[in-house]
Amino acid sequence: RHTAQTNAQDSARVSQQVSASSPQEVRPGQHVTDLPAPEPAAWGSSTAALNPLEQANRWVATGNYQQAAQLLEQILDQFPATDRQYLSALRMLARVYEEQGRHELAIASWFDYVSREVDAQQLQAGLQYLAGYLLRLAANPVFAQEHAHWLMQRLNDVIRLTPDNGELHLRLANMHWEAKDKELSQYHALMAANQQDTHTRAQALL
């Protein structure tokens, strides 16, 4: 009787551990970095049961970006570029590169992602993030000075995809003004002036 009771208690503990270690679902529109880090006990007990994307998700959540990047790069080699697994891995990899400070790789990955995404809502979210990411980089004085030409090219690339983004035009207007290129500065200032949110600020450059 004592042995049966002990076995029942052990089974109950195992069931509780398995339930606690089940991977959390990433809801649509939720970034992998929004998930809380797993508990140490759950992390050790559930690793083997995770699929590659879930494993990468866990590594991102715990700050193991190098391991996550390596696994995500392997996933990209295993799936066709039209597969949702490929697109999810590519989007996650772009965020991992950003966390690592590998900004040129991160931006290249975002451009690759938006060129392949067919879901309109996901595409819009990706373009919005990409534009904001480039604007943050351009607002960093050290990075902007060291990568001015590259930033101008990438900002122009995004503008081709989102021509009504006044913030992108305004940033390029200022960058061309600093580069003594008055003609291009005026062009982007005019484009920014056509947008309500940037009209007043753009007028100062005209």
Side-chain angles (χ1 to χ4, degrees), residues 103-104 106-112 114-115 123 126-132 134-135 147-165 168-169 171-172 175-176 184 187-188:
H103 298 300
E104 293 180 63
I107 293 297
S109 297
W110 274 113
F111 273 109
D112 192 11
V114 298
S115 73
L123 175 59
L127 286 171
Q128 184 176 359
Y129 189 89
L130 174 57
L134 281 169
L135 287 171
H147 302 82
H149 181 67
W150 177 83
L151 273 172
M152 287 183 184
Q153 288 183 322
R154 299 292 80 80
L155 287 166
N156 272 307
D157 290 339
V158 180
I159 282 176
R160 293 189 186 97
L161 301 172
T162 56
D164 295 330
N165 190 319
L168 295 175
H169 282 292
R171 174 57 64 179
L172 272 175
M175 292 179 77
H176 283 298
L184 279 175
Y187 165 76
H188 287 291

Side-chain angles (χ1 to χ4, degrees), residues 2-18:
H2 176 73
T3 302
Q5 183 178 8
T6 300
N7 290 339
Q9 292 173 344
D10 290 342
S11 298
R13 283 196 295 271
V14 170
S15 298
Q16 291 174 352
Q17 290 174 353
V18 170

